[in-house]
Amino acid sequence: MTHRQHWLIRFTDELMTMTDDLTQDQAADFVRRVYAAGHEAGVAESAEESRREGE
């Protein structure tokens, strides 16, 4: 069985390798906020596409 790392841990670790001044908590908070914003944008975009298709 292959172990897959949770997206939050994976991207937090990646962010921390690119910066020297973030704590793990700060990096995880940033990753969560970016993920949430991307999710909200995707939902809004899908709704807009559905609305356009319905016209």
Side-chain angles (χ1 to χ4, degrees):
M1 182 166 114
T2 304
H3 174 72
R4 290 179 29 186
Q5 195 173 35
H6 188 272
W7 63 267
L8 179 58
I9 295 169
R10 177 178 154 214
F11 292 117
T12 297
D13 289 348
E14 287 184 28
L15 179 59
M16 290 184 71
T17 64
M18 295 186 291
T19 62
D20 294 329
D21 59 346
L22 290 178
T23 66
Q24 188 173 23
D25 287 339
Q26 290 169 322
D29 180 58
F30 178 79
V31 171
R32 278 188 200 99
R33 286 185 284 129
V34 169
Y35 178 84
H39 177 74
E40 289 174 16
V43 169
E45 186 175 309
S46 291
E48 179 63 21
E49 288 175 10
S50 293
R51 187 192 62 76
R52 277 192 236 134
E53 290 174 1
E55 290 180 348

